[in-house]
Amino acid sequence: MLSLYLALALRLETTQLEIEITTEEVATIFVTIFITLTCFIKMGLYRAILRYMAGHAVTTIATGVALSTIILTTSSFYFQSFIPRSVPLIYGFVAFIILGAPRLIIRGLVHKQIQRYKPAVIIYGAGQSGYQLAHSLFSGAEYRPIAFIDDNPKKQGSIVHGLRVYPRTHLEQLIRARKVVKVLLALGETSRSTRHQVLLELEDCSAQVQSMPSMQDISSGKAKVSELQDIKIEDLLGRIPVTPDYQLLSSCIKHKVVMVTGAGGSIGSELCRQIIKQKPAKLILLELNEFALYSIEKELKLSIENSDIETELVPLLGSVQRQRRLEIIMKSQQVETVYHAAAYKHVPLVEANIVEGVRNNVFGTSRCARAAIITKVKNFVLVSTDKAVRPTNIMGASKRMAELTLQAMAQEEHSTIFSMVRFGNVLGSSGSVVPLFRDQIKKGGPVTVTHPDIIRYFMTIPEAAQLVIQAGSLAKGGDVFVLDMGQPVKIADLAERMIKLSGLEVKNKDEPFGDIEIKYTGLRPGEKLFEELLIGENVSGTVHPSIMTADEEFVDWPTMQKMLSPLDESCREYLYDDIFQALLNAPINFRPENSHYVTDTHEADTTYLKLVK
């Protein structure tokens, strides 16, 4: 009614509206108000919370006012009321201002009041991802974006979501002037090399650097735009994964019955995820740990339900040391391909528990392989490690013994094709230093590194799993495959970069007032300064650029059996000295460094044995 009054006043250029209102005009006003209110209620205008009003609310008001204008025009024509033709247009304009302006003003004041108490952040990347992140942060209660940083000169100086876009040279100045606590990366689907370059430039940034989730995780529902994450270590290292050969990926899997031992472990679970994508007829999950088996089965079931996959999952609890159990599984399920990932891989733990380490890594592999031969499995792939090359610890020695066992079995008369795939550290595995460093940084340090010169190769778990599958497809029998791990990384440098990207300073002699100290604890038992992937020099390429094959010495099965029998007996009797000596005498070039296999665990087990006897 106020809008109509003002429209008439503007049209007639007077505020003294002494007009005799007829029945037709009353009907026009009543119908207009009634239908307009009904439309606004249906459109949810009166349910909108002012704090969250944005473009959608403005559109709703504009639509409602346009409908109201049409209704006023139509009803005045129908009832033959005296309303000038220009009044409905003026009415619509005035109504939009009266209805929209107070709401937007109040929203602006409330929004400004809320924003002033939130910590300031800068968004790096003024593209679509940056816009989405800014919108999400404005609506949330955690952070207040104050500016964009973008390397594109065309975007610099423009306004995105009400924020100015600056070049990177202004970053440190903005951080100090506006008390910025975080720089948030919103780089969308940019390449890993680009992300790596950006992180190199942000290393000396005085604010913490975090990233928004990938668009793939957002679209799949795994993460929300506002769920900020620590920088992915693969982006920090800058390693670019090689595109897989999909024919090699599916060769030993598609429409086949596949079995993964150690299916709940870091490598085993990722193997299962990659295998499912190749649509096997059946996937057997063998795992000793009940919860790990439950977790991976639950995850894979969800993946199967959400994809066009008809794979049957068979979760089985069991140990790879029980050969009869393995034979029954492989025979009853008609297994065609086995990926043997079950192993104890944590160097200090295996060093302190050599009996269980040797039993699981050597005899678990031997019995699993023998079961595969008996049940005529077509392909058997052992997941090995670079620590098997000139081993300096029990874990590496046991894995090299496992490799020799398969190489010896491969020379026998049978139909099973054996191969082993050797690679270095994987990011995010249960023994990776990366989660350890992150936890230590969150607790305020110190960050512990065993030696200032220690270096390691790194690869992501998905890439390692894909390469293991592809290498298995290349096998001809007894092959030792070596993965191209890229450039080695100095662990001390990795720790320093992670500290700096957390917005903290490294505490050292040059910076005595820094935040977090890097503490060197000394090499652990059996730990090397650097890892190797090859025993000899005889290495050749394959059809895959990241997979090489090594031509290494091996022994025949009778010779191998003579080494395994006394070793097995020593494990049953818990004869630590004999086990250690057997590994030293084996042709695996075992040269222990810093090894103290005689531990409290050893002494406790020896005492227990005496009591039993």
Side-chain angles (χ1 to χ4, degrees):
M1 289 185 72
L2 177 61
S3 299
L4 184 56
Y5 171 81
L6 291 174
L8 288 168
L10 288 168
R11 171 65 180 80
L12 301 176
E13 299 181 353
T14 178
T15 56
Q16 303 297 322
L17 296 179
E18 297 178 356
I19 303 172
E20 184 179 347
I21 300 178
T22 64
T23 305
E24 290 82 2
E25 288 161 352
V26 170
T28 299
I29 295 170
F30 176 78
V31 168
T32 301
I33 293 174
F34 177 77
I35 298 178
T36 299
L37 287 173
T38 304
C39 290
F40 280 0
I41 291 169
K42 291 289 185 182
M43 295 170 73
L45 181 65
Y46 302 121
R47 295 193 301 272
I49 300 173
L50 290 178
R51 175 179 169 183
Y52 301 112
M53 279 185 64
H56 175 70
V58 174
T59 304
T60 302
I61 293 170
T63 304
V65 168
L67 287 172
S68 182
T69 303
I70 294 169
I71 293 163
L72 175 62
T73 305
T74 306
S75 59
S76 64
F77 175 78
Y78 180 79
F79 291 111
Q80 298 293 310
S81 57
F82 174 71
I83 293 180
R85 284 178 294 180
S86 59
V87 167
L89 292 175
I90 301 172
Y91 161 78
F93 179 75
V94 172
F96 181 78
I97 293 175
I98 290 176
L99 289 167
R103 286 173 166 83
L104 293 175
I105 290 169
I106 293 171
R107 176 191 178 276
L109 292 172
V110 172
H111 179 75
K112 189 175 181 180
Q113 189 68 17
I114 293 170
Q115 293 296 320
R116 63 185 293 190
Y117 295 108
K118 296 196 293 186
V121 296
I122 291 174
I123 299 174
Y124 198 114
Q128 182 62 29
S129 298
Y131 177 87
Q132 288 181 336
L133 180 57
H135 180 74
S136 179
L137 292 175
F138 275 131
S139 303
E142 293 182 343
Y143 299 106
R144 168 173 53 95
I146 57 101
F148 282 100
I149 297 291
D150 203 288
D151 296 324
N152 187 345
K154 293 180 180 178
K155 293 181 180 179
Q156 293 166 6
S158 60
I159 303 296
V160 176
H161 209 304
L163 303 176
R164 187 178 180 83
V165 182
Y166 293 90
R168 188 179 55 80
T169 52
H170 286 58
L171 178 60
E172 200 60 38
Q173 180 184 347
L174 286 168
I175 290 172
R176 289 195 299 268
R178 305 292 293 274
K179 297 181 180 178
V180 172
V181 296
K182 290 183 180 182
V183 175
L184 309 179
L185 298 186
L187 302 178
E189 299 302 319
T190 53
S191 65
R192 187 163 290 168
S193 58
T194 303
R195 287 175 171 270
H196 178 60
Q197 188 59 40
V198 169
L199 289 173
L200 285 176
E201 294 168 352
L202 294 178
E203 270 191 21
D204 295 325
C205 170
S206 57
Q208 184 182 3
V209 180
Q210 285 190 307
S211 175
M212 68 178 285
S214 67
M215 295 308 296
Q216 184 179 356
D217 287 344
I218 294 170
S219 59
S220 65
K222 290 182 180 179
K224 296 179 180 178
V225 175
S226 57
E227 290 178 355
L228 303 176
Q229 302 173 340
D230 290 330
I231 299 300
K232 291 182 179 179
I233 198 65
E234 50 263 42
D235 292 334
L236 190 60
L237 297 176
R239 177 182 169 83
I240 302 173
V242 178
T243 304
D245 183 326
Y246 291 100
Q247 186 175 351
L248 289 177
L249 273 178
S250 62
S251 176
C252 294
I253 297 174
K254 194 167 186 178
H255 306 315
K256 297 181 184 294
V257 179
V258 182
M259 176 175 170
V260 177
T261 68
S266 303
I267 298 296
S269 59
E270 186 59 36
L271 279 170
C272 292
R273 295 183 193 103
Q274 299 294 337
I275 288 167
I276 281 291
K277 294 177 183 177
Q278 305 309 315
K279 301 181 180 180
K282 188 184 294 186
L283 178 57
I284 318 296
L285 311 172
L286 183 68
E287 174 58 54
L288 185 62
N289 183 290
E290 181 187 25
F291 181 73
L293 181 62
Y294 164 77
S295 299
I296 187 61
E297 184 204 12
K298 181 182 177 183
E299 180 186 335
L300 293 177
K301 274 185 175 178
L302 188 62
S303 296
I304 290 172
E305 289 172 5
N306 295 336
S307 308
D308 184 23
I309 299 173
E310 296 181 356
T311 299
E312 179 186 350
L313 284 181
V314 182
L316 297 173
L317 284 168
S319 169
V320 290
Q321 298 179 45
R322 299 184 182 275
Q323 185 175 321
R324 182 59 185 155
R325 163 78 164 154
L326 294 168
E327 289 175 20
I328 293 171
I329 292 170
M330 292 178 187
K331 186 176 181 180
S332 62
Q333 300 292 339
Q334 298 180 316
V335 174
E336 297 170 84
T337 303
V338 173
Y339 294 97
H340 182 57
Y344 291 140
K345 306 181 185 76
H346 199 268
V347 171
L349 287 180
V350 176
E351 201 73 17
N353 298 273
I354 69 172
V355 172
E356 294 306 319
V358 170
R359 274 179 172 172
N360 202 49
N361 294 356
V362 179
F363 296 105
T365 301
S366 171
R367 286 157 191 164
C368 195
R370 183 58 63 187
I373 291 173
I374 293 170
T375 57
K376 298 182 178 175
V377 169
K378 292 180 182 177
N379 291 280
F380 187 102
V381 183
L382 168 67
V383 177
S384 191
T385 171
D386 56 358
K387 293 174 178 62
V389 178
R390 283 180 275 274
T392 59
N393 50 64
I394 301 296
M395 193 280 278
S398 64
K399 291 297 284 184
R400 180 58 186 147
M401 286 290 284
E403 289 183 355
L404 277 181
T405 301
L406 285 197
Q407 287 176 304
M409 285 186 178
Q411 313 311 311
E412 294 185 292
E413 292 285 336
H414 54 72
S415 59
T416 304
I417 298 174
F418 288 107
S419 62
M420 53 226 78
V421 186
R422 192 186 288 160
F423 57 92
N425 298 277
V426 288
L427 297 167
S429 67
S430 55
S432 175
V433 296
V434 175
L436 172 64
F437 286 172
R438 281 198 176 127
D439 186 54
Q440 290 174 336
I441 290 169
K442 285 178 182 176
K443 291 179 180 178
V447 172
T448 55
V449 179
T450 56
H451 194 281
D453 297 322
I454 195 166
I455 61 172
R456 287 291 181 267
Y457 292 96
F458 284 100
M459 179 181 284
T460 64
I461 295 181
E463 184 184 6
Q466 287 178 356
L467 289 171
V468 166
I469 294 170
Q470 292 172 88
S473 300
L474 296 170
K476 297 174 183 176
D479 309 78
V480 177
F481 292 108
V482 179
L483 304 186
D484 179 6
M485 299 293 295
Q487 295 299 316
V489 176
K490 198 171 181 180
I491 301 301
D493 290 347
L494 176 63
E496 185 174 336
R497 294 181 69 187
M498 289 181 68
I499 292 170
K500 286 184 176 180
L501 287 171
S502 299
L504 304 169
E505 287 291 331
V506 179
K507 185 179 180 180
N508 51 33
K509 291 179 181 178
D510 297 329
E511 293 288 343
F513 300 105
D515 302 295
I516 293 181
E517 178 188 5
I518 296 177
K519 185 177 180 181
Y520 297 104
T521 58
L523 291 174
R524 296 174 300 178
E527 187 174 31
K528 286 182 179 181
L529 273 179
F530 61 93
E531 300 292 357
E532 305 168 273
L533 290 168
L534 296 171
I535 292 175
E537 300 296 328
N538 298 325
V539 61
S540 55
T542 66
V543 295
H544 196 290
S546 294
I547 302 174
M548 299 171 287
T549 180
D551 184 12
E552 299 176 349
E553 293 182 4
F554 56 87
V555 298
D556 57 24
W557 178 245
T559 305
M560 194 70 212
Q561 203 167 19
K562 287 178 183 177
M563 290 188 286
L564 291 178
S565 295
L567 185 61
D568 191 17
E569 180 65 25
S570 298
C571 285
R572 282 200 297 269
E573 295 298 325
Y574 285 82
L575 302 175
Y576 292 86
D577 293 335
D578 292 355
I579 295 169
F580 198 79
Q581 193 60 48
L583 293 175
L584 284 172
N585 294 337
I588 59 175
N589 203 13
F590 177 37
R591 295 292 179 267
E593 295 177 8
N594 306 320
S595 181
H596 50 77
Y597 75 97
V598 179
T599 63
D600 292 340
T601 306
H602 164 111
E603 292 166 5
D605 285 348
T606 305
T607 305
Y608 172 74
L609 267 179
K610 288 178 181 177
L611 288 171
V612 171
K613 287 179 179 179

